[in-house]
Structures are given as structure tokens and as C-alpha cells.
Amino acid sequence: MRPFDYQQAPDATAAVATVARRPGAMFLGGGTNLVDLMKLGVATPELLVDVSRLPLDTVAELPDGRVRIGAAVPNSDLAAHPLILQRYPVLSQALLSGASGQLRNLATTGGNLLQRTRCPYFQDASLPCNKREPGSGCPARGGYSRNHAILGASDSCVAVHPSDMAVALAALDATVVILGPGGERTLPLTELHRLPGAEPERDTVLAHGELVTAVDLPPGSHRRSAYRKVRDRASFAFALVSVAAVVELADDGGTIAGVRIALGGVAHKPWRAERAEELLRGAQPTETNFGRAAAAELDAAVALAGNAFKIPLAANAMVAVLRDLTGRGGNG
Ligand code: SF4
């Protein structure tokens, strides 16, 4: 590991000012991903500004009914928080499906959002990779591609975003609070991460020096929500495919009044299944309609040599989650 400087930030504004004026500076949260990347020689910051001890570690209801999650809240605390368990079970389920207990104790909300892809070529500094070294190539395209993207990929990169939590937040229509050198701004979570396009080195739309300080969840109860993760082993594995869904049935239960679905493990960002949502809104909650919606969403999927299985897997996982949430998966 290369030598680097370390500073503990006295407050968020000072942290932002310090990182913004040093191109080689980075924020340090729980360090569960960044420190690994430093050991691998993939991340080589000159200065780490530690934001993990800033007073951004609470989960609280705002006066308008939204719930604000501080960026330094550990994943384990967030998963177990009564407000999250009662109103946003999909988020708790997603958090508990990720990493291990020890890692969840250390990983923060902000860090979880900004973790980097686990593409094996990205993590091996001796190999070419457009994300790590722009213009060097993408060996995953013609190589090991079992875990890679089927939606929204580009010629430059076929990596997927690894976070489970971010998929649940996308389905919940969460908002991200960002502090930059010019002040605070908010952004829908679905606009935080980007598709790779010709610049796969940019995972998000954040500018250098911008710090995620909080995530806001919309008001109300989202009890009819769930997260399903399909992976190669039962724990401590990233998603091959995951589905987060929030469903609202009409009062008589005969139609779907509202639905939000996000997919993980399939794209460079949490993939909001807008085509499927459109088809399901106002439709009867039947197995046939779930299948049609899933097929429409995956119509644009493009498989690589090693990941064609993800297309039916994602469709089946979507149908299964919708069936469970509505309890109305009969044929029709
Ligand atoms: Fe690098 Fe992206 Fe290609 Fe992986 S998929 S090797 S991260 S460019």
C-alpha cells in the first residue's frame, strides 16, 4: 500500500473543503471497500479525510413525515432501526442480505452507496480495465462475465453495481442529500449512479469534493415491500440478480394501485424497472400480468457469453417477489 496522509474531519463543511481542494484526497467512511482497494493498489489516495465520526449517525423522522438516515449510520444499526423495520421492510431485508455481520457493523450508509464494482478485472491492478485505467480495455467483455451486466452496459464497461441497499432505496424513491463546496443539493437516488457509457471510470454524478450526508425516505408506510436476492451461496456473496419491490393494492385488492421495482446485479446502477411498473399500474395482480411485465422489462437485456442465465433469472425473481407481495399470483 502506498503511503497516505490521514485527517479526521472536525465537521462536514471542513471535510468537503479539504477534499475539494486536493485532487488526490478521498473521504473515508467505514473503509470496508476503500481500504481493500488501497491494499490492492486500485485506489491510491494521497489523503484520507475520515468522515465516519461526524454527527451524521442518526435515523430520525422529519416534521413532514420523511425519515432521514445520516450517512454515517452503520448498516447493522439501520437494518435494526424500528422506523425502518416498521415502515420500510424492503430496506432492512436488503441490508441484512449484504456482506457479513462484522462488515455491516462497520460499513456506513454513505459508503455502501458509493462502494465500487467487484468486477475481478477492476480489482486486479495488473490487468487492463477501462474503469480503473480509462482507454485500457474491458477484458470482461470477452472473458469472465458471469456476474456482469445485462442491461444498460456499454462497449466500454459491463460492470454491475454491488450494493443491495441501493436497490432497495431506488425502489423506495429515496433522495440523497449532498454537501459540496458550493452548498447543499438533493438528488433522487435513481440519479446518483450512472450507466457506464464512454466514461466507466465515473460511477456516480458526484463531483470531486461532494459528500453524501444523508438519505431521505418518503413519508408513509411501505409495509408491502420486499427484497429478494439470488446468489451463488447463502451468505457473504454479491447478487447475481436481486429485486426490490414496493406494491400498493387498490382498496378492493383487485388491481395494483402503485408499484415500484428495482433490480440489482444487472446493471452499472440500481435498475429501476419502469417498463414493468407502467404495465402493472392499474392491472390485476395475476401471474400472467407479472410475467408480461417482467418480460417487457427484460426485452432490452443483452447477454454476454457467461451471463445469459440472468435474463430468465431476473424475470422469475420479479414474478416471485410480486406474487409474494400481492398474495394474488393465481393464473389469470
Ligand atoms: Fe473494467 Fe468495467 Fe470491463 Fe470490469 S466490466 S473490466 S470494471 S471496464
Side-chain angles (χ1 to χ4, degrees), residues 119 144 200 209 218 240 268 321 326:
C119 173
Y144 177 80
L240 290 166
H268 198 256
V321 170
T326 59

Side-chain angles (χ1 to χ4, degrees), residues 156-244:
S156 300
C157 181
V158 289
V160 296
H161 195 268
S163 170
D164 296 295
M165 182 192 78
V167 180
L169 292 175
L172 284 167
D173 271 343
T175 304
V176 185
V177 184
I178 299 161
L179 183 66
E184 192 172 275
R185 66 177 175 129
T186 58
L187 197 65
L189 181 118
T190 50
E191 294 174 22
L192 174 68
H193 301 95
R194 48 185 303 286
L195 293 177
E199 294 179 293
E201 68 277 16
R202 292 178 56 220
D203 291 352
T204 70
V205 299
L206 294 179
H208 180 72
E210 284 193 311
L211 175 69
V212 172
T213 56
V215 175
D216 290 345
L217 301 177
S221 171
H222 300 74
R223 283 220 55 80
R224 201 185 285 270
S225 67
Y227 187 73
R228 180 179 285 228
K229 177 173 179 177
V230 185
R231 48 189 158 173
D232 276 330
R233 56 171 191 252
S235 71
F236 201 38
F238 291 95
L240 290 166
V241 159
S242 69
V243 179

Side-chain angles (χ1 to χ4, degrees), residues 5 30 34-35 41 49 52 58 75 113 117 128 143 148 185 192 194 254 277 290 301 313 323 330:
D5 294 329
L34 178 56
V35 173
V49 177
S52 66
T58 55
N75 288 180
L113 279 181
T117 186
H148 291 73
R185 66 177 175 129
L192 174 68
R194 48 185 303 286
E277 291 174 10
F290 299 156
L313 188 61
R323 187 196 300 130

Side-chain angles (χ1 to χ4, degrees), residues 40-111:
L40 292 167
V42 172
T44 53
E46 294 165 7
L47 167 66
L48 287 183
V49 177
D50 189 343
V51 292
S52 66
R53 293 176 212 190
L54 295 179
L56 301 171
D57 58 350
T58 55
V59 179
E61 186 168 6
L62 300 176
D64 62 4
R66 286 178 299 153
V67 170
R68 174 158 291 185
I69 304 162
V73 174
N75 288 180
S76 47
D77 289 6
L78 184 58
H81 196 283
L83 276 176
I84 304 303
L85 287 168
Q86 285 159 18
R87 297 189 198 172
Y88 312 97
V90 62
L91 178 55
S92 186
Q93 290 167 21
L95 284 159
L96 292 176
S97 78
S100 64
Q102 292 92 335
L103 285 169
R104 291 194 294 270
N105 287 340
L106 205 54
T108 62
T109 305

